[in-house]
Amino acid sequence: MDKMNMHTAIKADENYNKLAELFPNAVSESIDINGNVVRTIDKDILMQEINAKVVEGREERYQFIWPGKNQAIQLTNAPTTATLRPYENESVNRNGKDGDFDSDNLYIEGDNLEVLKVLQETYLNKIKMIYIDPPYNTGSDFIYNDDYAQDNEEYLALSSQIDKKGNKLVQNAETNGRFHTDWLNMIYPRIKLARNLLTDDGVIFISIDEGEIENLKKACNDIFNEKNYINTFMWLHGKGKKDSWSRTLQQYVVAYAKNKTALEPWIENKVCDYEFKNPDNDPKGPWFSGSLSFNEERSNPNSDKYYTIKSPSGVEWTRQWMISKEEMDQLIANGDVSFGKAPAYDGVPRSKIRPGATIEVIPNNIIDDCNTTRGAEGYLADLFGSECFSYPKPYELIQKLASFLKLENATVLDFFSGSATTAESIMRLNIDRKTNTKFIMVQLPEDLDEALKTASSFNRPIIQNAIDYLDNKKYPHNLCEIGKERIRLAAKKLKETNPNSNIDFGFRVLKLDSTNMKDVFYTPDQYEPGLFDKLEDNIKEDRSSFDLLFQVMLELGVPLDSKIEMATIDGKKVYTVESDFLIACFDDKVTDSTITEIAKMKPYYFVMRDSSIADDSVAMNFEQIFNTYSPDTKRKVL
């Protein structure tokens, strides 16, 4: 059986291995000044292979650099031993009832940098859309302080909740000499890790204001490559803010693709309000000419909507159309396609759009048809019964952005989830489109009592309202409880107004914590009587079998929304995940009969504790049992 690592991969090692696979003749080994063998890159061979010059030292070149960038990259590549622990009692099932764990949606509490690292294996290339609303760096915002030092305070340090001074969120005042640098050091590693999670045709949307938009775009160009920049959407969010020279009415949403060439063309449904005419005396009345096709540059010859249309004059038009061939033939038969002016009829086929019709258009980058910040605050106040969150994004904005993409059977991630607006937006989108898009919300459990001490005069009553609400519900005073409650309240409202909808109204709660494994590395001065007795079992005493199952799922890349069932075999608790893809048993004194029944189920993976084997006889028979009933099963131990 193979021993599981129980920590995330080292990204730098993965990148080196990729380079070695592409150019094996350019990688080698050498001896450093301490006599250690280290891996090296032969830059001369690499330059020959890629036909490019390697720039070194202070030689001039175009680059985006700031103090701390190298540290930010190192922070991105550093592994973590943290894990996610499931909390069934705080979860909500698909039907919106508390205390069940069958939802496909996830709500994760913890530092988003560590959570993104933990998700790297399981959700690599699996997230279709990411939306985040990070701190704007206005001078009063609190940002993540990632300059922490690990110590032996297991939960707080290993799960990276606080730094050595007890702070995780720090206010980045404009008087700080590292004002922009600290913000970049915070945002860069998170976006870099997030890119790994996107599907090849995935997109990230990032809300920002004018203060950091230039730095954000430069950072995203560095991470995504500027050729994958899509657009900057301007959202007219209300009355705006004013200074002595002008009033700013907009905020921005910057959009980048992981691979822009893989994107389907974006469309938006709108009611046509153009000027209608009747140049050809159409008996159906006036119409407006609308596009039915994409130009040659945007056409995809592999699309099932790529075909040829012949005009009445015999001109052929071959390209990707917006509708199927059957739908096109029906429109032509109904007289709803224009081929240009008579008598030539040799123009590009275009649809005849009638008054009141809904049309598909390429989205504008000015968003003026969504709610405002003030409207979103009012909506949340109605939902909670009092104003409990300041400056939320309206669900209409995120729903609109999500509607540009094809999100059938997709997953949407928000790792600055705040009041969980993205979760409600996806539920509403699922109702409107009859889809089953999943969401993953990630939020640091910010202490509202601590936040109240430093809050502005504007925010203080809002935070107090939130604390009062949580008190009434007997919930802890942290921001995650507001986010989870918002999803519950929104789901209840949506179920009442859409009683026949069959979407997922629930979420599984997971919380970032230190590894489930004991620290088995001790120095001589740490030895104490009874130490080795403690190490007979390498699992921490406060961890359950369910905790172990989720850390195993993370390491093996099994989605955290997978269907999980529990059965008893010869008195031992056995978990089956995704119809026997993974079977795990963490009980003590597991016998031959339990192992035999599990092997007969032919799982792809079987995992157990190293100490679970009942005796030496069972240990000797283990491999033979699996070789007999399921030789292909991958067997692993903790």
Side-chain angles (χ1 to χ4, degrees):
M1 291 187 288
D2 297 328
K3 193 80 172 178
M4 301 189 73
N5 294 322
M6 306 305 274
H7 63 73
T8 60
I10 301 174
K11 284 296 177 183
D13 291 346
E14 291 184 352
N15 294 335
Y16 178 83
N17 292 333
K18 290 175 184 177
L19 185 64
E21 185 176 348
L22 286 172
F23 308 110
N25 57 331
V27 300
S28 183
E29 293 179 347
S30 64
I31 304 296
D32 66 11
I33 58 174
N34 297 317
N36 300 315
V37 177
V38 294
R39 59 196 185 196
T40 59
I41 301 291
D42 189 320
K43 69 175 183 180
D44 294 325
I45 294 178
L46 186 60
M47 288 167 60
Q48 294 170 8
E49 291 284 1
I50 63 177
N51 191 26
K53 179 182 178 182
V54 175
V55 182
E56 295 182 280
R58 301 191 177 206
E59 190 172 351
E60 290 185 355
R61 71 270 201 185
Y62 179 81
Q63 61 178 330
F64 179 47
I65 194 74
W66 68 90
K69 182 178 182 181
N70 289 337
Q71 182 183 355
I73 294 173
Q74 292 171 4
L75 187 63
T76 305
N77 293 331
T80 180
T81 58
T83 189
L84 298 176
R85 299 179 65 186
Y87 283 72
E88 292 180 88
N89 61 323
E90 297 181 31
S91 301
V92 176
N93 69 14
R94 297 180 61 87
N95 296 317
K97 296 182 180 179
D98 292 339
D100 204 347
F101 219 67
D102 73 341
S103 174
D104 291 336
N105 303 314
L106 305 178
Y107 190 98
I108 302 176
E109 299 186 23
D111 172 11
N112 53 18
L113 180 66
E114 294 295 292
V115 172
L116 287 169
K117 289 183 179 183
V118 168
L119 297 180
Q120 288 294 298
E121 182 70 28
T122 306
Y123 288 94
L124 183 71
N125 302 324
K126 291 181 181 177
I127 305 295
K128 184 67 174 284
M129 170 182 157
I130 297 174
Y131 171 82
I132 57 172
D133 183 18
Y136 284 3
N137 208 26
T138 61
S140 59
D141 288 334
F142 283 81
I143 65 170
Y144 286 76
N145 177 19
D146 294 319
D147 186 20
Y148 58 86
Q150 290 195 347
D151 53 31
N152 292 323
E153 296 295 327
E154 288 188 357
Y155 173 66
L156 296 178
L158 288 177
S159 59
S160 309
Q161 299 301 293
I162 62 171
D163 67 10
K164 59 187 176 182
K165 295 180 180 179
N167 302 311
K168 182 57 191 172
L169 293 174
V170 294
Q171 191 169 18
N172 198 31
E174 290 181 274
T175 54
N176 176 13
R178 293 167 50 90
F179 181 63
H180 294 290
T181 292
D182 284 347
W183 187 85
L184 280 168
N185 286 336
M186 180 277 296
I187 200 69
Y188 189 89
R190 288 165 172 81
I191 296 178
K192 191 170 177 63
L193 286 168
R195 181 190 178 278
N196 298 335
L197 304 181
L198 285 173
T199 59
D200 195 42
D201 61 345
V203 175
I204 185 169
F205 295 100
I206 307 172
S207 282
I208 200 69
D209 72 358
E210 67 280 353
E212 292 290 355
I213 187 169
E214 290 88 357
N215 283 330
L216 176 64
K217 288 183 66 176
K218 289 175 183 176
C220 287
N221 285 341
D222 206 53
I223 295 168
F224 288 91
N225 193 314
E226 60 186 319
K227 70 180 182 181
N228 290 313
Y229 168 70
I230 297 174
N231 210 329
T232 298
F233 294 87
M234 290 178 283
W235 167 50
L236 304 185
H237 66 102
K239 293 181 179 179
K241 58 183 181 180
K242 60 183 178 179
D243 54 27
S244 300
W245 303 276
S246 65
R247 182 186 292 274
T248 302
L249 299 176
Q250 82 280 2
Q251 289 181 6
Y252 304 95
V253 181
V254 177
Y256 279 81
K258 187 172 186 179
N259 179 6
K260 195 174 179 181
T261 60
L263 286 186
E264 289 281 337
W266 287 4
I267 56 174
E268 182 180 11
N269 294 317
K270 281 197 168 187
V271 176
C272 184
D273 58 357
Y274 302 125
E275 181 182 357
F276 296 93
K277 297 181 179 180
N278 195 351
D280 59 353
N281 296 316
D282 188 323
K284 289 186 176 182
W287 51 273
F288 181 86
S289 170
S291 177
L292 280 169
S293 65
F294 303 108
N295 59 35
E296 294 180 7
E297 294 173 351
R298 300 183 73 207
S299 287
N300 178 9
N302 297 320
S303 171
D304 58 359
K305 294 178 181 177
Y306 191 90
Y307 53 86
T308 299
I309 294 178
K310 183 180 289 187
S311 71
S313 60
V315 178
E316 292 187 344
W317 300 93
T318 303
R319 57 182 61 190
Q320 183 182 350
W321 305 90
M322 293 181 179
I323 57 178
S324 67
K325 183 68 164 59
E326 292 74 18
E327 292 173 303
M328 180 69 77
D329 291 342
Q330 189 63 52
L331 281 181
I332 293 173
N334 292 341
D336 291 328
V337 175
S338 168
F339 291 94
K341 296 181 179 180
Y345 293 119
D346 57 359
V348 178
R350 295 176 64 85
S351 63
K352 290 185 175 183
I353 301 169
R354 313 292 178 179
T358 299
I359 58 173
E360 294 181 342
V361 298
I362 297 174
N364 291 325
N365 75 326
I366 297 178
I367 299 176
D368 58 0
D369 56 353
C370 290
N371 205 348
T372 63
T373 302
R374 176 53 61 185
E377 288 175 346
Y379 170 78
L380 275 189
D382 290 341
L383 205 59
F384 280 89
S386 64
E387 196 170 1
C388 292
F389 196 90
S390 56
Y391 306 117
K393 291 294 181 291
Y395 66 78
E396 296 94 337
L397 173 64
I398 303 173
Q399 186 176 346
K400 182 185 185 73
L401 298 171
S403 70
F404 298 160
L405 285 70
K406 294 182 179 179
L407 292 176
E408 293 83 357
N409 301 308
T411 302
V412 173
L413 168 66
D414 183 344
F415 53 89
F416 286 93
S417 74
S419 66
T421 300
T422 300
E424 179 173 351
S425 303
I426 296 306
M427 288 192 293
R428 288 178 175 273
L429 191 72
N430 282 335
I431 291 173
D432 290 348
R433 292 192 167 186
K434 295 180 173 58
T435 52
N436 58 346
T437 302
K438 309 169 189 178
F439 63 75
I440 301 176
M441 301 292 103
V442 182
Q443 177 59 45
L444 186 76
E446 300 174 34
D447 189 320
L448 296 181
D449 292 312
E450 289 299 315
L452 187 63
K453 296 176 183 178
T454 56
S456 65
S457 58
F458 173 79
N459 279 326
R460 192 170 294 114
I462 298 175
I463 296 174
Q464 187 61 59
N465 287 342
I467 291 173
D468 293 342
Y469 183 93
L470 296 175
D471 258 344
N472 187 51
K473 289 283 186 175
K474 295 182 171 55
Y475 292 155
H477 296 175
N478 73 64
L479 182 56
C480 290
E481 299 303 330
I482 292 294
K484 289 183 289 187
E485 183 69 358
R486 190 264 179 81
I487 302 174
R488 295 187 192 99
L489 294 173
K492 180 181 178 181
K493 181 175 181 178
L494 291 171
K495 284 185 68 176
E496 290 172 353
T497 54
N498 301 273
N500 297 321
S501 179
N502 192 32
I503 73 160
D504 187 347
F505 289 106
F507 53 90
R508 299 181 179 189
V509 175
L510 304 168
K511 298 184 183 182
L512 187 75
D513 207 331
S514 60
T515 178
N516 295 309
M517 315 303 290
K518 290 179 180 176
D519 185 357
V520 297
F521 301 102
Y522 288 87
T523 58
D525 63 302
Q526 292 175 303
Y527 174 79
E528 59 183 37
L531 173 62
F532 293 111
D533 291 336
K534 294 178 183 179
L535 297 181
E536 287 181 0
D537 189 347
N538 60 348
I539 309 298
K540 293 176 181 174
E541 286 77 7
D542 66 334
R543 303 305 165 93
S544 69
S545 294
F546 212 36
D547 292 330
L548 297 179
L549 179 65
F550 270 79
Q551 188 161 4
V552 166
M553 290 167 65
L554 284 168
E555 181 161 338
L556 297 180
V558 180
L560 301 177
D561 60 352
S562 297
K563 183 179 181 181
I564 301 171
E565 297 177 295
M566 196 276 287
T568 302
I569 299 178
D570 286 343
K572 305 302 177 185
K573 185 185 298 182
V574 176
Y575 292 101
T576 62
V577 182
E578 285 299 311
S579 302
D580 301 340
F581 177 78
L582 164 65
I583 294 181
C585 178
F586 305 112
D587 284 0
D588 294 328
K589 299 180 180 180
V590 175
T591 63
D592 284 351
S593 58
T594 303
I595 299 295
T596 300
E597 290 304 311
I598 291 172
K600 287 180 179 179
M601 298 165 72
K602 300 184 185 304
Y604 186 82
Y605 285 112
F606 171 62
V607 181
M608 65 189 303
R609 292 166 67 162
D610 203 7
S611 59
S612 290
I613 298 292
D615 51 45
D616 291 343
S617 174
V618 177
M620 292 177 61
N621 294 335
F622 182 91
E623 294 296 338
Q624 183 60 45
I625 292 172
F626 267 95
N627 288 337
T628 300
Y629 294 104
S630 186
D632 295 331
T633 294
K634 299 181 183 298
R635 292 148 252 175
K636 296 181 178 292
V637 295
L638 305 184

